[in-house]
Amino acid sequence: MALVFTLRISGKRTLSKMNAFDLIVTIAVGSTFATVILNKNVTLSEGVLAFTLLVFLQYVITYLSARNKRISQLDNSAPTLIAYNGELLSKNMLSERIDEDEVWAALRKKVYSSLAETDAVVLETDGSLTVIKQIKDPQAPAVKVLLGPER
């Protein structure tokens, strides 16, 4: 019950798609939970304290990350352009270890039959692929807006 309670009060981010830091915290929580259950030398109160400390540290890091760009850059990776203007960017695909079949799967999920129907495909910080539909207005800077001004 203490684990469920602690995770519920920690917010949606703890249970959402994870970045590297969130994955580490989740593994640490699982390891702590297993230790509390299996090791008779660790009391329940010590386990609850460890859970609470892990969630509190995650909260502090994410709080600071939302308010400080340098910490955010340590905590999260930047999105990567995988395809642009109907062309796959093979250099970016190789560096991110994205297979062409994964791009086609993302296109099929959004019901596109070709890259020509899209402006871009972006590898998000959580590992998912976002397909940006083709914008008819050539003045609209869709990709720059979605990736941010400095990307």
Side-chain angles (χ1 to χ4, degrees):
M1 289 304 297
L3 178 60
V4 172
F5 178 73
T6 304
L7 289 175
R8 292 294 296 153
I9 65 169
S10 67
K12 293 177 185 174
R13 182 179 169 98
T14 306
L15 301 173
S16 68
K17 290 184 177 182
M18 294 181 261
N19 60 31
F21 178 73
D22 295 331
L23 177 64
I24 291 167
V25 169
T26 303
I27 290 170
V29 165
S31 177
T32 303
F33 185 64
T35 301
V36 169
I37 290 176
L38 299 174
N39 190 340
K40 295 185 191 276
N41 296 330
V42 178
T43 66
L44 182 59
S45 61
E46 291 172 333
V48 170
L49 178 64
F51 293 139
T52 305
L53 182 60
L54 285 168
V55 171
F56 174 74
L57 289 173
Q58 181 195 30
Y59 179 83
V60 168
I61 295 294
T62 55
Y63 178 88
L64 294 173
S65 177
R67 287 157 179 77
N68 185 303
K69 190 172 186 169
R70 282 189 174 168
I71 294 173
S72 178
Q73 289 172 341
L74 292 173
D75 185 30
N76 294 309
S77 60
T80 303
L81 211 54
I82 299 299
Y84 185 66
N85 283 338
E87 306 245 348
L88 292 173
L89 303 175
S90 56
K91 182 179 175 184
N92 291 1
M93 290 175 64
L94 285 173
S95 69
E96 296 293 344
R97 299 178 314 278
I98 296 292
D99 188 273
E100 189 174 331
D101 291 336
E102 294 176 82
V103 176
W104 290 114
L107 289 172
R108 287 191 301 273
K109 277 186 181 177
K110 296 294 182 179
V111 195
Y112 293 111
S113 59
S114 75
L115 277 171
E117 298 175 55
T118 68
D119 272 343
V121 178
V122 179
L123 177 64
E124 301 294 350
T125 60
D126 65 3
S128 63
L129 289 170
T130 299
V131 179
I132 302 168
K133 71 178 182 174
Q134 189 174 43
I135 297 173
K136 304 296 182 204
D137 180 8
Q139 300 298 323
V143 175
K144 186 171 184 176
V145 169
L146 287 172
L147 290 176
E150 298 177 15
R151 308 231 191 249

